[in-house]
Amino acid sequence: MTTATAPRVRQENAPAGPGAPVRRRRSRRTTMIGLAFASPFIVGFLFLFAYPIAASAYYSFTDFNLFQAPEWVGLDNYTQMFADGVFWKSLANTAVLTVFGVPLAIGIALAGAHLLNTPVRGQPLYRALVYLPSIVPVVVGGYLWRWLLNAQYGFINHFLSWFGIEGPAWLQQPEWTKPAIILMSLWTVGGTMIIYLAALQEVPKELYEAAELDGAGAWRRFTNVTWPTVSPVTLFQVIVSIIGFLQIFTQPYILSQERLNQAGSGPGQSMLSYAMYLYQNAFVFLKMGYASAMAWTLFIVTLVVSLIVLATSRKWVHDGAR
């Protein structure tokens, strides 16, 4: 057996044919051409993403104010957070917005998608109108909502007065500022609604017909057919919404402003979100090292929350997809 396999080993180790160098040159040439076409993205990623991420990780362990060289302080920035009352206030405000905003956004989007999926006259127009706020710039929408929520001449309080309801001072009373931010955030729920609409149109009609033959009503058809089928889309939207609310900045920043470009926080710091406080530390107080530590803390919190949602939803998403 040894003598029979020896020629095969020598054949496998024999030098390549005369065309091998040509093939290697062509392979290298193809690789270089591919890298040349991908170079704009590679350069942009390295300088606009990879380097800032690495720099912020380093700055989070330093005392850095943008005008002097960073000074290494170790974990001082992270330990300072535990003694910072404003940090905990901003974290609590963001948690409240996330806990109440995400379920409302998902529920309204799913309910609206059902309405948009109903065959009525003028359906394309209704779908376009629902999605329209999603393409309005956030800053423009923010100043529009400042007018709508104004306690003296805002349209929302004027509308409530038609029913004999005295509207609150949305932007002046601490207990109403968070509902105002959530209300403004829900204005752009049309994008999520359109995604749900696409998911509803992919639900097999045979499942609804089978449920009707079994005597299932509208609620049972929703819980046993619609909800399990759209559960993967729901998981995606929940994670995206959680990330969006944890990073919410523009809405409270605009609604809390008393003067143009002023970094406010609302009455009793009730509008101070985590991202707003991070911004203030970085560009108002010039505590770039502390702000970098806050950024990485937010990243870790977002990662942990997303992993928890994925872990807890694995079973029902798997059953729904199946």
Side-chain angles (χ1 to χ4, degrees):
M1 182 177 297
T2 305
T3 57
T5 57
R8 184 179 302 174
V9 173
R10 286 196 299 269
Q11 184 177 359
E12 291 177 354
N13 296 332
V22 177
R23 288 193 297 268
R24 284 197 295 268
R25 285 195 298 270
R26 289 178 179 176
S27 177
R28 286 195 298 267
R29 183 171 179 271
T30 303
T31 302
M32 296 304 296
I33 292 175
L35 290 175
F37 277 105
S39 60
F41 167 78
I42 295 174
V43 173
F45 174 79
L46 291 176
F47 288 95
L48 300 180
F49 290 93
Y51 173 74
I53 290 173
S56 68
Y58 168 71
Y59 291 146
S60 67
F61 298 101
T62 65
D63 181 12
F64 182 42
N65 62 5
L66 293 178
F67 297 102
Q68 296 177 352
E71 180 182 352
W72 184 266
V73 293
L75 296 176
D76 288 357
N77 289 325
Y78 291 94
T79 57
Q80 182 182 347
M81 293 181 193
F82 293 96
D84 189 354
V86 182
F87 166 82
W88 291 108
K89 179 67 175 180
S90 66
L91 188 62
N93 291 339
T94 305
V96 171
L97 294 175
T98 304
V99 169
F100 289 97
V102 172
L104 283 173
I106 297 298
I108 293 174
L110 185 56
H114 274 85
L115 294 177
L116 294 178
N117 200 34
T118 305
V120 294
R121 188 175 182 181
Q123 187 184 67
L125 176 62
Y126 300 144
R127 293 177 178 177
L129 291 176
V130 166
Y131 185 72
L132 186 61
S134 300
I135 63 177
V136 175
V138 182
V139 175
V140 176
Y143 283 104
L144 173 64
W145 277 95
R146 279 178 63 93
W147 171 76
L148 291 174
L149 294 169
N150 188 278
Q152 283 74 37
Y153 52 81
F155 176 76
I156 292 180
N157 283 358
H158 181 66
F159 174 77
L160 293 176
S161 66
W162 295 350
F163 304 94
I165 302 175
E166 183 179 357
W170 296 91
L171 306 180
Q172 285 76 39
Q173 296 177 335
E175 62 271 18
W176 286 103
T177 53
K178 292 183 183 64
I181 295 173
I182 294 175
L183 186 62
M184 178 183 171
S185 301
L186 295 178
W187 186 54
T188 58
V189 78
T192 305
M193 201 176 296
I194 295 301
I195 294 177
Y196 264 125
L197 176 62
L200 290 175
Q201 293 178 346
E202 293 297 323
V203 179
K205 295 182 179 179
E206 294 80 6
L207 297 179
Y208 289 119
E209 295 173 356
E212 290 179 0
L213 291 176
D214 291 339
W219 177 249
R220 287 188 59 191
R221 290 198 300 270
F222 172 77
T223 56
N224 296 330
V225 177
T226 306
W227 180 251
T229 307
V230 302
S231 57
V233 176
T234 301
L235 174 61
F236 170 78
Q237 294 298 337
V238 166
I239 293 178
V240 170
S241 299
I242 289 175
I243 294 174
F245 273 97
L246 288 177
Q247 298 178 353
I248 191 169
F249 172 80
T250 307
Q251 294 91 333
Y253 179 82
I254 294 177
L255 293 180
S256 64
Q257 280 186 349
E258 297 181 4
R259 291 187 297 271
L260 186 63
N261 292 330
Q262 181 188 31
S265 56
Q269 295 181 333
S270 57
M271 291 190 191
L272 184 64
S273 67
Y274 191 97
M276 284 178 61
Y277 189 49
L278 191 156
Y279 165 82
Q280 291 178 3
N281 277 288
F283 301 106
V284 178
F285 309 137
L286 297 180
K287 298 166 62 177
M288 186 60 69
Y290 188 65
S292 298
M294 287 186 62
W296 278 96
T297 303
L298 178 61
F299 168 75
I300 294 173
V301 170
T302 304
L303 178 62
V304 170
V305 172
S306 300
L307 291 177
I308 291 174
V309 172
L310 287 172
T312 55
S313 61
R314 185 174 303 168
K315 182 179 182 302
W316 58 269
V317 170
H318 176 73
D319 294 340
R322 184 178 58 185

